[in-house]
Amino acid sequence: MIESSRKLPIGIQTFEDIRRDEYLYVDKTKFVWRAASTGKPYFLSRPRRFGKSLLLSTFEAYFEGKRELFKGLAIEGLEKEWIKYPVLHLDLNAEKYDETEGLTSILSNYLTQWEQIYGEGEDEKTLSSRFAGVIRRASGKTGRKVVVLIDEYDKPLLQALCNENLLKEYRDTLKAFYGVLKSSDRYLRFVFLTGVTKFAQVSVFSDLNQLQDISMWYDYATVCGITKEELEVTFKQELELLGKVNDMTYEETVDKMACLYDGYHFHPSGEGVFNPFSVLNALKAKEFSDYWFQTGTPTFLVELLKDSDYDLRTLIDGVEAASTAFTEYRADSDNPIPLIYQSGYLTIKGYDKEFKMYRLGFPNDEVKYGFMNFILPFYTPIRDGEKRFYIGKFVQELRSGDVPDFLTRLKSFFADFSYELSEDKERYYQVVFYLVFKLMGEFTEAEVRSARGRADAVVKTPKYIYVFEFKLNGTAEQALQQIDDKGYLIPYLADGREIVKVGVEFCAETRNISRWLVE
């Protein structure tokens, strides 16, 4: 059995535990010192499972003066004083916020713990007045200004996105609570909030006009996540073991890791990072899989997409957006892009300096195919467990050259659509075709038209190149003629594989494939 005796910190989000129990640690302490030395109130948006909680825990240990935990790390050579401050660390990540009491209960519980240390005021009845009182007394009793760390500040809001009344209650509660950070500024040494989304309507961003949102700052592009250099320096032994188990060279292993888990960019000129959760799990299990996507079901994203009538094809191919259009989420907006980007399903792929437009796309294959596999049951009648079966059969039939079976299966696929689903507009069917062919791309070379002058779909297998043209209001003969007239075959003539033309009629009345011709 191939094993490593080194400990990987999967599920360990406490910096002190990682250091005392000798888990492997990717050193991010230079960012901690930089933030603590150059400012006070910060906000950082990063996707879930990206190391935000560990980062705040590192800040906590630093501000509590636990110098011994930082031995051998970058900050040891930077920090000279190691002053101990009172730290109020609020973590909203663990609770389930399906009713109003969930939020008020967890806030009150934290306040009670702090009041046992720093005392309570007789006239402090509301959550916000108690919070202000704790901050004031903590500063007075210790003679030091207070450090406030808030992890996943937006978790209640995200869980209430599809419940308008509950969302409003949570917004009002948090607006008052976070507003204390402005009125208590004189007592605060440092404030750091993390979350997934920058909610425009929460006063922490409107009232705290001095709050520094470092989510897209160049200097903090790699504060969470793992760079390629950090991956190879910290986990070289584990990468070698992963390669041996999977019969791959070291270079092939690193390339595979990059294809699946790398590609996140939080500044157009910043270095890319790997998803730390997926990296650690792949190294521990010695297997490549979709670890990050399996930890959460972004149902709220699907609801946003459907409510906004957003064209999935545009999203999957990559979308352009001004920074103001994807860095701040408004619950009353029909634009789902900010939440999809900040949740980690899109990342920065390019930037047009002249027009100040960003190009966003999937960061890697884990997210790309995970997202499409998750989306498919919301747009089609297939159940979750049937996804791989359908896509696998589609791929096998084209690999073997069995186009009639492929199209027959696709026809039966559409026949299962409910009447309510199939009443939707023409674009609905185009999206489903699009998803099917895109998902096949995980196992074959599959392209779907995203610009004029190309066939609707092209699938490449070891033996064949298939060129598909679909006609909603036309004949299979016209589809084949269009393939010839538009020169869709020309890019593949020198390839050497057998080229197969497929013209398909789609009947609007029956809402299904009606005829096809294969040449």
Side-chain angles (χ1 to χ4, degrees):
M1 180 179 292
I2 302 174
E3 294 184 359
S4 170
S5 60
R6 304 202 300 175
K7 297 164 72 173
L8 297 170
I10 297 174
I12 312 296
Q13 300 177 353
T14 304
F15 178 75
E16 184 167 351
D17 289 348
I18 287 177
R19 298 295 289 167
R20 292 199 189 281
D21 295 338
E22 298 183 342
Y23 286 91
L24 292 180
Y25 173 68
V26 177
D27 189 358
K28 300 290 185 178
T29 59
K30 66 179 180 181
F31 297 106
V32 171
W33 186 84
R34 179 186 298 161
S37 303
T38 58
K40 182 193 291 188
Y42 292 95
F43 169 70
L44 177 70
S45 166
R46 286 294 184 269
R48 59 186 170 81
R49 303 278 187 170
F50 232 82
K52 301 189 296 294
S53 296
L54 176 56
L55 178 64
L56 283 197
S57 179
T58 310
F59 274 116
E60 182 175 19
Y62 167 71
F63 279 112
E64 288 180 344
K66 296 180 178 178
R67 183 174 187 170
E68 71 280 4
L69 298 178
F70 295 88
K71 185 174 177 60
L73 300 180
I75 202 171
E76 185 183 31
L78 299 170
E79 182 56 62
K80 307 302 179 185
E81 297 181 327
W82 294 99
I83 298 171
K84 182 178 181 179
Y85 294 91
V87 177
L88 305 179
H89 188 170
L90 172 62
D91 183 0
L92 296 181
N93 193 45
E95 190 69 33
K96 186 176 182 181
Y97 302 98
D98 52 4
E99 54 186 23
T100 308
E101 291 73 20
L103 177 58
T104 56
S105 175
I106 194 170
L107 293 178
S108 182
N109 182 264
Y110 271 100
L111 289 167
T112 299
Q113 293 178 47
W114 298 333
E115 287 166 343
Q116 289 174 352
I117 302 172
Y118 301 113
E120 55 186 298
E122 292 183 6
D123 59 344
E124 295 167 2
K125 305 301 181 185
T126 66
L127 293 171
S128 54
S129 64
R130 290 172 65 191
F131 189 29
V134 166
I135 292 173
R136 186 177 63 253
R137 286 187 297 275
S139 179
K141 285 196 170 188
T142 61
R144 300 283 185 190
K145 289 190 174 184
V146 178
V147 172
V148 175
L149 307 172
I150 301 178
D151 196 10
E152 304 289 6
Y153 93 97
D154 57 346
K155 186 68 175 288
L157 303 172
L158 288 173
Q159 290 197 359
L161 272 184
C162 299
N163 185 332
E164 188 175 337
N165 293 331
L166 190 58
L167 180 62
K168 183 181 185 305
E169 287 187 46
Y170 284 169
R171 242 186 358 237
D172 291 344
T173 299
L174 293 176
K175 185 173 184 177
F177 191 81
Y178 294 143
V180 169
L181 297 174
K182 180 179 182 180
S183 60
S184 301
D185 181 66
R186 74 185 77 175
Y187 304 110
L188 296 173
R189 159 66 178 87
F190 186 79
V191 175
F192 202 106
L193 287 80
T194 71
V196 168
T197 304
K198 184 177 178 181
F199 276 88
Q201 298 101 322
V202 179
S203 70
V204 67
F205 300 110
S206 56
D207 290 350
L208 280 177
N209 49 21
Q210 78 274 35
L211 185 71
Q212 300 174 83
D213 181 357
I214 61 173
S215 304
M216 294 180 66
W217 285 19
Y218 175 82
D219 285 347
Y220 293 95
T222 61
V223 65
C224 291
I226 300 172
T227 67
K228 187 172 186 289
E229 180 182 0
E230 290 170 338
L231 176 74
E232 296 198 68
V233 169
T234 309
F235 304 106
K236 190 173 192 300
Q237 180 179 321
E238 287 71 26
L239 288 167
E240 289 173 344
L241 291 176
L242 175 64
K244 287 180 181 178
V245 170
N246 289 276
D247 196 25
M248 300 167 70
T249 66
Y250 178 81
E251 291 73 20
E252 289 171 339
T253 304
V254 173
D255 288 345
K256 180 73 171 178
M257 292 286 284
C259 182
L260 286 172
Y261 311 128
D262 193 9
Y264 292 90
H265 287 84
F266 300 103
H267 185 278
S269 300
E271 189 174 358
V273 291
F274 289 71
N275 183 319
F277 183 81
S278 293
V279 164
L280 292 175
N281 277 277
L283 295 177
K284 180 70 172 180
K286 299 181 182 64
E287 182 178 346
F288 300 103
S289 188
D290 299 335
Y291 297 102
W292 179 76
F293 214 93
Q294 292 173 6
T295 64
T297 51
T299 307
F300 64 87
L301 292 181
V302 178
E303 295 302 326
L304 282 175
L305 283 169
K306 297 183 83 171
D307 289 347
S308 64
D309 196 30
Y310 200 85
D311 191 338
L312 267 180
R313 294 169 298 173
T314 302
L315 177 64
I316 291 170
D317 277 338
V319 60
E320 289 192 338
S323 61
T324 53
F326 75 90
T327 58
E328 186 175 82
Y329 177 71
R330 291 185 175 274
D332 56 357
S333 170
D334 62 356
N335 177 20
I337 295 303
L339 197 51
I340 295 173
Y341 163 76
Q342 293 175 336
S343 297
Y345 301 99
L346 295 176
T347 195
I348 297 171
K349 290 293 187 180
Y351 180 63
D352 187 322
K353 291 184 178 180
E354 181 180 5
F355 298 104
K356 298 182 178 179
M357 293 290 289
Y358 288 84
R359 183 168 56 85
L360 308 177
F362 291 123
N364 50 50
D365 280 356
E366 178 188 22
V367 176
K368 177 181 179 180
Y369 293 111
F371 186 81
M372 289 191 292
N373 270 302
F374 181 79
I375 283 281
L376 194 61
F378 289 86
Y379 284 82
T380 69
I382 71 170
R383 293 183 294 272
D384 188 64
E386 298 175 329
K387 290 179 295 191
R388 292 282 173 169
F389 170 79
Y390 268 99
I391 300 303
K393 287 295 183 181
F394 286 144
V395 171
Q396 289 170 359
E397 284 154 358
L398 290 187
R399 282 176 179 167
S400 64
D402 201 340
V403 182
D405 273 7
F406 170 82
L407 290 169
T408 300
R409 185 177 302 278
L410 194 59
K411 184 175 181 178
S412 66
F413 182 71
F414 276 95
D416 288 336
F417 276 43
S418 69
Y419 181 77
E420 290 77 13
L421 275 177
S422 61
E423 275 201 357
D424 209 337
K425 58 186 74 171
E426 170 188 338
R427 195 180 77 191
Y428 188 93
Y429 290 95
Q430 294 172 336
V431 167
V432 175
F433 274 120
Y434 191 85
L435 277 172
V436 167
F437 281 97
K438 279 289 186 180
L439 282 167
M440 287 169 56
E442 186 175 4
F443 309 99
T444 66
E445 290 183 72
E447 304 169 358
V448 192
R449 184 177 62 185
S450 59
R452 293 183 64 185
R454 294 172 55 190
D456 283 331
V458 176
V459 180
K460 301 176 184 178
T461 69
K463 293 183 179 179
Y464 305 98
I465 296 179
Y466 297 95
V467 179
F468 290 87
E469 187 66 28
F470 294 90
K471 286 292 183 184
L472 180 64
N473 295 306
T475 66
E477 288 83 1
Q478 289 173 330
L480 289 179
Q481 190 63 46
Q482 182 170 326
I483 292 174
D484 292 334
D485 292 346
K486 297 288 187 179
Y488 292 159
L489 302 183
I490 293 174
Y492 315 108
L493 292 177
D495 185 276
R497 282 173 280 190
E498 183 178 341
I499 299 175
V500 181
K501 298 187 296 183
V502 186
V504 183
E505 290 179 27
F506 192 90
C507 177
E509 184 178 343
T510 62
R511 303 178 180 89
N512 208 331
I513 293 171
S514 53
R515 284 182 66 236
W516 60 77
L517 291 173
V518 181
E519 287 185 1

